[in-house]
Amino acid sequence: MSYVGPDSQPPRPPRRFPGGRPLVLALAVLVPGSLAGYLLWNPAGDSDGGKPTGALPSAGRSEQGSASKPGGADPKGSAEPTSPSQSSTSPRSSAEPSGPSKSSGPDGGTEPSGRPDAGRPAPSGPLKGKVVVIDPGHNPGNFQHTAEINRQVDIGTNSKECDTTGTSTNRGYTEARFTLDLAHRLRDELLRQGATVRLTHDADRPWGPCVDERARIGNDARADAVVSLHADGSAVGNRGFHVILPARVRGGGADTTAVVAPSRDLGERIAGRFLSATGSAPSNYVGDGTGLDTRSDLGGLNLSKVPKVFIECGNMRDPKDEALLTDGGWRRKASLGIADGISDFLRS
């Protein structure tokens, strides 16, 4: 999603991997295909892969997920839900998108959708007893409810729009559709590992939830981790992913003091695993090559009392990133990378 926040943070200096090498150097290694050896991560691909021995650093900008875009297009924001929709799937691998309803993907394929028996974790697994909340950025129905999503809500330090429509590719594949598909894939993988999973929404409500509600859902669930899924809407040539971390904020109803450190740990692990699984490079326009961004203007982060991050998986307005985001095989790799990062965090 594309959203320019009022008080985005200055970029942090690049952080380094174990061994002192900055992340930006990894880009040179991606070309010959030896990324895993450099980063010390076993590429996840379509398998479980090894656990990362290092993590990425930090960066910052959007309310459901994006950064301020230099020369960017389509400044649209984010949203956060009100009542959690339990995932409706039996614990199956995300590679098996069967179920009562499927939507056709932009590449002519099908996308996994909710299944009626969702919410049941596997009887056992490494994440048994852990609660994960997945927040699919925006709602496909927001386009029809502009008055509702434009109303102001309290985000602790100031007020902000309840939600936004999110962005889309130039061919009309919406961010809301992308994030919901990715959420289903991620949910299925976490259920397979034994986690209890909740979605902030499953397109089961006409619009929203608002950003304050999205934070409240994670808090009320006492989640061990919350991840908000997004895709950016920046200028052509701006490429790559970034993970948004909460800044230290105290004011009004916001106090992130207790969650800043664990959220950074969660974000670094997700960034590392996402890079390894997808081969996508960290953002070349946010975070100074670190793949991380720290922000203080997002209600979903400011109001969270549990570890939470946003991930912008790529730029929907760039043709090369669009080709990835609209490919079902790439989305499966993305879901596995995010799941592995969450699992690393919860098992550490």
Side-chain angles (χ1 to χ4, degrees):
M1 134 217 124
S2 167
Y3 180 87
V4 179
D7 57 345
S8 53
Q9 305 297 313
R12 294 173 171 264
R15 297 177 59 184
R16 298 177 178 271
F17 292 102
R21 288 169 290 190
L23 174 60
V24 288
L25 295 183
L27 301 181
V29 190
L30 283 171
V31 176
S34 56
L35 174 65
Y38 173 79
L39 293 179
L40 303 180
W41 283 305
N42 190 2
D46 287 349
S47 62
D48 290 336
K51 302 299 178 188
T53 59
L56 290 164
S58 113
R61 255 138 307 274
S62 110
E63 176 75 56
Q64 272 223 208
S66 305
S68 359
K69 293 70 181 151
D74 197 22
K76 297 175 182 175
S78 45
E80 306 165 7
T82 92
S83 66
S85 304
Q86 302 259 140
S87 43
S88 59
T89 16
S90 42
R92 307 170 49 150
S93 164
S94 54
E96 306 173 57
S98 65
S101 62
K102 295 183 182 179
S103 57
S104 130
D107 53 358
T110 56
E111 301 172 355
S113 187
R115 293 189 282 275
D117 54 341
R120 295 189 217 154
S124 62
L127 300 185
K128 194 68 181 174
K130 300 295 185 181
V131 176
V132 179
V133 170
I134 302 171
D135 179 26
H138 315 289
N139 183 318
N142 281 358
F143 290 95
Q144 284 76 46
H145 295 274
T146 54
E148 291 89 342
I149 67 172
N150 284 335
R151 71 181 179 84
Q152 298 287 299
V153 298
D154 183 8
I155 66 167
T157 53
N158 61 350
S159 61
K160 177 173 279 191
E161 295 88 348
C162 158
D163 200 357
T164 68
T165 60
T167 189
S168 69
T169 68
N170 291 327
R171 298 184 182 185
Y173 182 53
T174 65
E175 181 185 2
R177 185 175 171 191
F178 166 80
T179 61
L180 194 60
D181 174 64
L182 185 61
H184 291 156
R185 296 172 187 268
L186 176 58
R187 172 197 62 195
D188 291 352
E189 178 59 24
L190 293 171
L191 287 172
R192 187 186 68 78
Q193 295 187 41
T196 297
V197 182
R198 293 186 179 182
L199 270 63
T200 56
H201 76 93
D202 201 358
D204 50 357
R205 51 183 292 162
W207 55 274
C210 295
V211 295
D212 57 339
E213 291 180 278
R214 292 177 187 257
R216 193 156 56 246
I217 291 168
N219 296 342
D220 290 348
R222 297 184 179 180
D224 297 289
V226 183
V227 178
S228 189
L229 305 175
H230 292 273
D232 213 348
S234 188
V236 173
N238 290 342
R239 296 195 60 198
F241 74 90
H242 63 278
V243 177
I244 301 174
L245 314 173
R248 191 174 300 277
V249 171
R250 293 190 69 180
D255 186 353
T256 63
T257 304
V259 300
V260 166
S263 295
R264 172 171 289 279
D265 187 19
L266 172 64
E268 289 179 344
R269 292 172 186 271
I270 288 176
R273 284 298 201 157
F274 188 89
L275 186 155
S276 181
T278 64
S280 294
S283 171
N284 64 5
Y285 62 102
V286 173
D288 198 22
T290 65
L292 300 171
D293 189 22
T294 302
R295 296 183 58 175
S296 62
D297 61 311
L298 305 182
L301 296 180
N302 288 357
L303 300 175
S304 183
K305 306 299 182 186
V306 295
K308 181 175 182 178
V309 299
F310 289 17
I311 180 168
E312 295 282 357
C313 296
N315 175 18
M316 300 195 94
R317 294 304 180 89
D318 178 83
K320 293 180 180 178
D321 270 9
E322 175 188 4
L324 300 176
L325 297 166
T326 57
D327 179 74
W330 184 91
R331 291 195 299 272
R332 179 172 186 271
K333 291 179 181 180
S335 69
L336 293 175
I338 296 170
D340 282 346
I342 293 171
S343 180
D344 287 347
F345 170 74
L346 295 179
R347 297 169 67 187
S348 63

